[in-house]
Amino acid sequence: MKDKRRHGNAALRAATLGLLGAAVVPAPASALETPGEQLAKKWEFDTGLLVYSESGGRVQAAEPVLKATRNFGDDRMLSFKLVLDTLTGASPNGATPASTPQTFTGPSGSGSYRANAGEMPLDDSFKDTRVSLSADYLFPVGENGKFGYGLTASKEFDFLSAGANARYSHDFNQGNTTLSAGLSYEADEISAVGGAPVPLALMPAAVSGEVENENEDEDEGGGPGAETKGVVDVIVGLTQVLDPNSLVQFNYSLSTSSGYHTDPYKVLSVVGADGEPLRYVYESRPDARTKHAVFARYKRYLFARDVFDLSYRYMTDDWKVQSSTIDSLYRWNFNSTNYVEPHLRWYQQSAADFYHAALYDGEETRVTEASADPRLGAFSGYTVGLKYGHTMQSGNSWSARLEYYQQTGKREGVPEEAAAGLSKFKLEPDLSAVMFTVGYRFKW
Amino acid sequence: MRLITAVCLLLAASAASAEASPLPPALAAYEGKLIYLDFWASWCGPCAESFPWLNQMQQKYGANLVVVGVGVDEDTKAGDGFLKKHPARFQIVRDPDGKLPELYGIEGMPSAVLIAPDGKVLHKHSGFRSQQIAEYEAVIRAALPREEASQ
Amino acid sequence: MDAAAGRFTAMASPCEVLVDGADAAELRRVTRVVENEVRRIEQLWSRYRPDNVVHKINTAGGRAVTVDDETAQFLDYAAHLHEWSNGLFDVTSGVLRRAWKFDGSDRVPAQSQVDALLPLVGWGHVSWQSPVLKMPMGMEIDFGGIGKEYAVDRACALARHATSRPVLVNCGGDLACTGPRADGEPWQVGIDTGVPGAATPLVRLSQGGVATSGDANRFLLKDGVRYPHVLDPRNGWPVTGGPRAITVAAQTCTEAGVLSTVALLHGAGAEAFLEDNDADFSLTW
Amino acid sequence: MTRIALIVVALLALGGCADIGAKPWQRGVLAREDMQVDPDPVQTGLDDHIYFSKEASSGGRGFGGGGCGCN
């Protein structure tokens, strides 16, 4: 039997007022307020933990995040964010597989790591803990403007970074059109273990097959002191409300960085005609990079319940990397306190012009920049994920998201002279990772 | 870029300003009174911040002023929830279809419209910033009959 | 000056009238207006008086009775409440008192005694075509359920015209007010829920009304089970497992009374019922 | 490069101010948390960090920012 009383007591109220013939009666105020409710909760905490795990014994990471925001009302907000990041496992060092076992000296020269015959060489000697802190303050400017500025700093055992940013947004057209502009500067200092290697210099004592003794003088080829890099980002954006249920956003971002971009721990194999490694040299990257990115997003509220979010980014830079990214989310709010959100992301990038899977014997003396870092190679990737969120009676909420990320490499940057020899090896390191995030938000 | 923004501002400003007109039916109950019409909604943060002040204004100038809170939530249950959390000690009118905000051409949320006893719109402003409440009150006092305002 | 209170007793409850900022004379004048109205309604619908419309209806022996406008309006309201509450609110459930004596003893009536009375209970049996009411022989109506709350609302409405100062009317825990106090603050009233030892909920009332329903110590205790004097008209048995008292605030005292009375009849489901109706309430277990 | 500039200008012009948009009192949906441009900034931060350290692109949504050695 359908319960007629389901939708509040409007029927009862109307009947009662009819009986009493009362004139317009103001809406009832809550007379039985519990004192606890009045106490405005000042701080809002947004916490999260990411567990990232690549297959094949590669990188594992755990990343807890704590963000605290204090809302002073009138669009005035102060927030702090702390991110910890513990990394373990191995990542490709750039060398190509070989038909015989290979040995590489670790960055500090103390340890060394090996790769079996036919195996993609992985540098498993790095363990890293990163701490990063940021603070941000946002306040209103005039009737329709908002200005925000922030500081960030992060520290790893071989990397130090500090930055500042500022951004301004202005509402036009009764808040339907919002133009925003932002500027950020970041200074990085890279102090590689054992000093930064001389670009394209020979990796010491790494003759394949022989085991090196420990007390080899390890700073051979290491450059003096730490390397630095400066990054300047500019972003301009437009958000336009199309109708009460949808909006579009367009961003253009320009990022210029100058200084040391090389990865001190990455090498390239110098191979002979048979594709077997003769020696290894440290990689070398240009000391400047300019990236342009155009981003567009469409967001729509559907069936008076769900939210669909589709975005596209096109990026190009002067390292000749071009990438396209499509990201789509569908949040199904199946009731007022729970939602499920499937996520699909597709990514594709071309290789940097100085990307080489390997160098042919002697080629290392003819190139100025070369890197075999798979992240600069050509590959496509997709991410598929599902997120569940729940809001509790108290207003606090938690969420859990499980995602799978798969990268498939394309065979590029192979020297013709050794193409036949190298064809017996798989040079494009595929990557697959599982990412699990949990989040919890509460007021205090 | 600047050309585009200029055109936008021009268009927005030329929207017809609400001239004096007799009170719409929804406000007929307050005929002949000085009305401080406040547009609120459950989803509007500053609206919650403005309610305590509106309560104070109704209590302080109750003799000659009627504060009317127009709730524009399309989902009236959300509006009810809001009123429970933020008690209103002034008259509440519900307008889910947005007829009153359309009529008075309000520009933002919350918005306030001060209507003279003859129905003429004396003052309009949108937004609620706690550091500007003195100005908001000054506008009310200016519209009150002489002896009340001087108290 | 704190609001002085005019006091009188009516509907078997101590009543008080507060007029914020009034001098003694004005307070007396407003109290008299409130008292007259409460007594008028008490006389109109009391079960104990031989000369009112309820007596005429209950002794009609099955014949049709024409009722006055106010009673007609109230019966329309009762019919609506019966339908709205799926039969829980029933002005004809008074006869069950013949079987149930709530004196704290353990004398729970036999099922047969209750069954004998059930045919005489049920608004469905009544033929009501305003202003003519026709009830089968032996049935009785009783407006005790929300009669007091109705009286408080009516009295408070009259007080609003009798003075421009804020007024609060309180009859045995059923309250109504014309608006907040002069300084804009709400009235603060402690409610006696009649439950010994339980904290008295503090009511902060700026508008509308408040009503409390509870077993107020009238119950039977047998084999550890407490039978409160809250009778479900559909089966004639008390509703067990519910809170001992429910206080509700609403736009009028009558509405609050209906919600608290019907909620009590939901027993353990009282809270869910009140949530469902967006009621503003506090329970005493 | 010029292609990028052209796209940007065209998009900004599109975002002109005809009558598209919502009236100030129709912003209930647009005020919803899940309708904000970035409803979960902590998750976005974590994702940006992953993809920054696994791909050669960054930025677009907010400041590119790296702040890590990411080897």
Side-chain angles (χ1 to χ4, degrees):
Chain A
M1 183 193 80
K2 186 170 170 327
D3 186 331
K4 282 184 296 305
R5 298 184 305 281
R6 277 257 13 113
H7 27 69
N9 60 10
L12 169 64
R13 176 159 302 170
T16 314
L17 291 180
L19 172 71
L20 294 169
V24 171
V25 177
S30 157
L32 302 170
E33 289 140 7
T34 43
E37 274 158 34
Q38 272 71 35
L39 196 56
K41 294 210 166 67
K42 297 218 172 26
W43 286 88
E44 268 175 52
F45 287 87
D46 191 345
T47 66
L49 168 66
L50 159 70
V51 174
Y52 171 85
S53 163
E54 284 174 5
S55 57
R58 291 181 51 181
V59 173
Q60 316 290 324
E63 202 169 325
V65 181
L66 173 69
K67 181 178 179 191
T69 308
R70 169 80 156 85
N71 191 332
F72 298 100
D74 297 345
D75 284 337
R76 210 173 284 277
M77 269 191 284
L78 173 68
S79 69
F80 298 98
K81 182 167 160 186
L82 169 70
V83 182
L84 294 172
D85 189 349
T86 55
L87 273 160
T88 58
S91 74
N93 69 355
T96 54
S99 307
T100 57
Q102 303 178 76
T103 307
F104 303 88
T105 48
S108 61
S110 61
S112 66
Y113 54 95
R114 297 172 45 76
N116 298 329
E119 232 184 40
M120 171 65 62
L122 298 175
D123 174 354
D124 62 2
S125 62
F126 79 98
K127 272 171 50 16
D128 189 359
T129 303
R130 181 172 70 95
V131 181
S132 101
L133 246 176
S134 56
D136 195 276
Y137 184 60
L138 182 77
F139 56 93
V141 171
E143 271 308 306
N144 299 308
K146 281 197 202 116
F147 188 83
Y149 56 87
L151 298 169
T152 63
S154 93
K155 171 86 178 70
E156 288 169 57
F157 76 92
D158 63 351
F159 184 87
L160 195 62
S161 159
N165 70 74
R167 56 212 183 282
Y168 175 72
S169 70
H170 197 89
D171 284 345
F172 297 91
N173 195 0
Q174 297 176 350
N176 283 316
T177 309
T178 309
L179 289 175
S180 56
L183 176 70
S184 103
Y185 173 73
E186 178 188 307
D188 301 345
E189 188 185 273
I190 304 101
S191 38
V193 173
V198 171
L200 295 173
L202 188 65
M203 186 164 93
V207 175
S208 65
E210 260 172 55
V211 176
E212 286 316 304
N213 54 42
E214 291 315 305
N215 48 30
E216 185 66 50
D217 170 3
E218 85 275 353
D219 64 3
E220 185 194 337
E227 299 293 339
T228 60
K229 148 167 125 234
V231 184
V232 175
D233 278 351
V234 175
I235 183 164
V236 286
L238 160 80
T239 306
Q240 173 64 42
V241 170
L242 299 177
D243 59 48
N245 291 309
S246 66
L247 58 92
V248 283
Q249 176 191 27
F250 304 105
N251 287 346
Y252 163 70
S253 64
L254 166 67
S255 170
T256 54
S257 67
S258 60
Y260 186 76
H261 290 88
T262 303
D263 183 326
Y265 312 110
K266 295 280 194 274
V267 295
L268 296 105
S269 301
V270 179
V271 297
D274 58 5
E276 299 301 337
L278 303 172
R279 50 192 175 279
Y280 310 96
V281 291
Y282 288 106
E283 72 156 38
S284 159
R285 301 189 194 189
D287 54 15
R289 182 180 191 184
T290 304
K291 288 195 276 189
H292 302 271
V294 170
F295 171 87
R297 174 202 302 268
Y298 173 68
K299 200 156 190 154
R300 177 144 186 82
Y301 187 62
L302 289 167
F303 317 124
R305 186 194 63 197
D306 302 343
V307 175
F308 172 62
D309 184 316
L310 180 68
S311 65
Y312 171 74
R313 173 186 62 186
Y314 171 75
M315 192 219 75
T316 178
D317 69 14
D318 59 0
W319 287 3
K320 296 300 177 286
V321 175
Q322 292 194 356
S323 78
S324 291
T325 313
I326 298 177
D327 211 316
S328 67
L329 293 151
Y330 187 89
R331 180 171 291 202
W332 173 32
N333 293 305
F334 52 90
N335 63 36
S336 60
T337 56
N338 296 288
Y339 69 80
V340 167
E341 185 178 71
H343 171 222
L344 275 177
R345 177 180 188 269
W346 177 81
Y347 174 78
Q348 200 227 339
Q349 84 172 38
S350 63
D353 55 6
F354 56 86
Y355 172 78
H356 294 268
L359 294 174
Y360 184 63
D361 185 5
E363 197 180 357
E364 75 271 27
T365 59
R366 292 195 298 280
V367 288
T368 52
E369 284 120 9
S371 168
D373 187 334
R375 290 172 299 187
L376 291 174
F379 63 83
S380 63
Y382 69 85
T383 312
V384 57
L386 192 68
K387 179 176 184 179
Y388 168 76
H390 175 68
T391 309
M392 290 169 269
Q393 196 70 1
S394 57
N396 300 345
S397 64
W398 62 271
S399 65
R401 190 187 76 167
L402 185 63
E403 293 213 332
Y404 174 73
Y405 175 52
Q406 165 83 36
Q407 259 180 24
T408 329
K410 250 206 247 105
R411 197 175 182 84
E412 280 199 18
V414 179
E416 295 84 11
E417 302 86 339
L422 285 169
S423 62
K424 53 183 182 295
F425 300 126
K426 179 167 176 21
L427 300 182
E428 323 78 28
D430 293 347
L431 173 135
S432 66
V434 173
M435 300 179 273
F436 180 65
T437 327
V438 281
Y440 180 59
R441 287 188 186 175
F442 59 96
K443 290 199 171 70
W444 183 68
Chain B
M1 243 318 289
R2 203 167 304 104
L3 171 65
I4 294 173
T5 31
V7 166
C8 292
L9 292 181
L10 195 64
L11 275 181
S14 68
S17 68
E19 62 303 319
S21 62
L23 287 178
L27 303 177
Y30 315 109
E31 201 74 35
K33 286 237 171 94
L34 176 65
I35 304 170
Y36 190 90
L37 204 61
D38 171 84
F39 292 91
W40 61 272
S42 59
W43 43 264
C44 145
C47 297
E49 288 166 32
S50 68
F51 265 40
W53 177 72
L54 289 168
N55 285 338
Q56 217 188 358
M57 287 305 111
Q58 175 65 73
Q59 192 273 321
K60 195 168 172 188
Y61 302 106
N64 299 78
L65 174 73
V66 176
V67 175
V68 181
V70 180
V72 296
D73 274 281
E74 277 148 38
D75 165 12
T76 48
K77 219 155 187 225
D80 295 345
F82 179 85
L83 286 174
K84 250 193 195 171
K85 267 217 237 76
H86 308 286
R89 292 197 206 115
F90 45 84
Q91 296 298 311
I92 293 287
V93 165
R94 307 301 284 274
D95 182 8
D97 307 331
K99 293 199 196 64
L100 289 174
E102 186 87 47
L103 177 68
Y104 288 100
I106 66 161
E107 305 263 318
M109 283 294 288
S111 264
V113 179
L114 190 64
I115 306 169
D118 62 5
K120 200 159 84 53
V121 171
L122 299 172
H123 167 81
K124 237 169 47 167
H125 77 265
S126 65
F128 181 82
R129 293 241 159 90
S130 29
Q131 59 267 55
Q132 285 171 331
I133 55 178
E135 288 158 41
Y136 303 148
E137 182 165 1
V139 166
I140 295 176
R141 291 179 73 91
L144 288 170
R146 247 332 95 288
E147 84 293 343
E148 164 83 27
S150 57
Q151 239 168 42
Chain C
M1 189 189 71
D2 191 10
R7 288 188 175 72
F8 61 91
T9 307
M11 296 212 166
S13 315
C15 293
E16 63 179 5
V17 178
L18 290 86
V19 186
D20 198 358
D23 57 27
E26 186 176 8
L27 177 60
R28 257 200 314 282
R29 183 170 56 79
V30 175
T31 303
R32 206 173 314 106
V33 165
V34 169
E35 183 177 357
N36 291 347
E37 178 62 13
V38 174
R39 289 207 188 293
R40 181 188 68 79
I41 293 167
E42 181 178 30
Q43 276 150 21
L44 184 65
W45 290 335
S46 155
R47 277 188 301 111
Y48 308 111
R49 297 187 61 92
D51 54 2
N52 63 19
V53 67
V54 169
H55 181 76
K56 213 168 85 182
I57 292 171
N58 289 345
T59 53
R63 286 188 312 282
V65 174
T66 307
V67 298
D68 57 283
D69 286 343
E70 185 169 16
T71 307
Q73 253 190 359
F74 198 85
L75 284 169
D76 288 340
Y77 184 50
H80 172 83
L81 292 183
H82 179 265
E83 198 250 336
W84 172 80
S85 66
N86 292 335
L88 277 176
F89 184 91
D90 193 319
V91 288
T92 67
S93 61
V95 291
L96 291 170
R97 259 192 303 281
R98 297 183 195 154
W100 292 92
K101 292 283 177 292
F102 294 93
D103 47 17
S105 69
D106 62 354
R107 283 190 298 284
V108 171
Q111 181 62 45
S112 59
Q113 277 179 285
V114 175
D115 290 349
L117 289 169
L118 279 182
L120 299 174
V121 174
W123 177 255
H125 310 313
V126 174
S127 123
W128 166 238
Q129 301 294 337
S130 177
V132 177
L133 179 76
K134 193 161 172 297
M135 263 199 323
M137 198 58 143
M139 284 187 72
E140 291 180 14
I141 58 165
D142 169 12
F143 293 160
I146 44 161
K148 183 163 66 161
E149 288 86 347
Y150 171 71
V152 165
D153 276 329
R154 293 289 306 192
C156 188
L158 289 182
R160 190 195 295 268
H161 299 302
T163 170
S164 61
R165 296 180 194 285
V167 176
L168 175 81
V169 177
N170 176 0
C171 278
D174 293 343
L175 315 168
C177 68
T178 57
R181 297 181 55 154
D183 57 12
E185 287 309 308
W187 302 89
Q188 310 238 359
V189 183
I191 297 291
D192 169 25
T193 58
V195 177
T200 52
L202 174 69
V203 170
R204 291 156 36 80
L205 189 64
S206 309
Q207 58 213 355
V210 172
T212 300
S213 305
D215 68 8
N217 306 338
R218 284 185 285 158
F219 57 85
L220 293 176
L221 196 57
K222 188 176 183 219
D223 314 330
V225 176
R226 211 165 56 77
Y227 297 90
H229 87 298
V230 175
L231 295 171
D232 181 340
R234 296 174 299 195
N235 58 33
W237 279 86
V239 176
T240 54
R244 296 210 49 191
I246 300 177
T247 300
V248 175
Q251 220 172 8
T252 60
C253 186
T254 307
E255 180 187 346
V258 168
L259 286 171
S260 59
T261 308
V262 175
L264 211 55
L265 285 163
H266 276 77
E271 183 155 17
F273 167 74
L274 289 164
E275 289 287 354
D276 204 28
N277 280 279
D278 271 348
D280 176 13
F281 63 91
S282 95
L283 305 178
T284 313
W285 292 88
Chain D
M1 235 316 283
T2 50
R3 203 150 63 95
I4 298 271
L6 277 180
I7 297 177
V8 168
V9 171
L11 297 180
L12 288 181
L14 167 73
C17 50
D19 56 3
I20 57 173
K23 294 278 191 292
W25 57 90
Q26 296 171 324
R27 300 185 71 95
V29 166
L30 297 165
R32 286 172 60 100
E33 195 212 326
D34 52 14
M35 276 299 281
Q36 297 316 303
V37 165
D38 183 4
D40 193 342
V42 163
Q43 183 74 66
T44 309
L46 290 169
D47 287 349
D48 285 349
H49 180 229
I50 290 175
Y51 294 122
F52 177 80
S53 56
K54 289 299 157 189
E55 296 165 350
S57 319
S58 68
R61 284 200 287 208
F63 290 118
C68 82
C70 298
N71 26 30

